[in-house]
Amino acid sequence: MADKVQMAIQSRSKILARYGLSDRPYLLFFPGSRPPHFQAFFPIICDTIHLLRKKDPKYTAIVNIPPFITETMLRDAQKKCQTEGIIFLRANSIEMLIIAELLISLPGTNTAEAMYAGTPMLVVTPLNKPDLIIFDGLFGLVVKIPLLGYLLRRLVLLYLKKKTKFLSAPNQKAKKTIVPEMIGNITAISLTNKIIQTVNDKKGLEIMRHQLLAMNHSSQASLSISKIIHGR
């Protein structure tokens, strides 16, 4: 993972120019790599960005669309989301992490990439959205059964809340809280408030960034990324 980050390292100005972006702080949303994730999480993202923009138009959000989300799915989602200030991209995830002020993501490999990129993050697990949990194998087939599948997903989510202390890669690796996690009944209002609290705490963001970089196995990658982030 650290090698992947190292290979993608380039100046912030070049990344911004490649995607036609202005030099400003960006909130980066990863809406989920699989269609069920996207369909369940994107409405929360849309409503959250709407509330953020309503509170302060300065907030600009990038939603990075993964390869498995088709253009048809994206267009359908965009039609239902009339919020301004959203930039939809199909971009290199590492490049987006390098330019982002804060990542908002579901648990998964994205949180490991953000850890190695030193990108502050807010990791979200909405227990009120059972479709965000995807199972493989026989159990994956069972949970597709109407009603029974819904109940099984709810039970698994409740188990995760009680038994799993950390869901993000950096917190699991450190065995303590490095990045904030939201687990529970998550609404656009609660997510908006947490994002504002996190981005307004500039000292906290800086501490989080340094802690993430300190966790990297590759000190050279950490140093290079840190220089890019701080413009040195």
Side-chain angles (χ1 to χ4, degrees), residues 6 25 71 109 125 133 198:
Q6 177 66 27
E71 287 299 319
T109 56
T125 307
I133 301 295
T198 305

Side-chain angles (χ1 to χ4, degrees), residues 37-140:
H37 284 167
F38 179 81
Q39 292 168 340
F41 191 35
F42 182 74
I44 298 178
I45 291 175
C46 177
D47 291 343
T48 297
I49 297 172
H50 175 77
L51 291 175
L52 286 166
R53 298 275 297 175
K54 190 175 180 180
K55 288 178 179 290
D56 193 335
K58 74 179 180 183
Y59 291 110
T60 301
I62 295 174
V63 178
N64 200 36
I65 307 300
F68 292 115
I69 305 305
T70 66
E71 287 299 319
T72 299
M73 288 181 60
L74 177 58
R75 284 194 299 270
D76 289 344
Q78 288 174 317
K79 287 178 183 178
K80 298 174 184 177
C81 180
Q82 302 300 317
T83 299
E84 297 181 354
I86 303 179
I87 300 171
F88 293 94
L89 293 176
R90 291 187 184 273
N92 179 288
S93 60
I94 300 298
E95 290 180 337
M96 292 299 99
L97 289 168
I98 289 173
I99 67 170
E101 181 178 34
L102 179 71
L103 167 68
I104 300 91
S105 175
L106 301 171
T109 56
N110 289 330
T111 66
E113 289 186 342
M115 177 178 68
Y116 284 108
T119 304
M121 70 190 89
L122 171 59
V123 181
V124 182
T125 307
L127 299 186
N128 49 316
K129 292 286 185 177
D131 288 342
L132 289 173
I133 301 295
I134 295 178
F135 302 96
D136 296 318
L138 180 60
F139 193 70

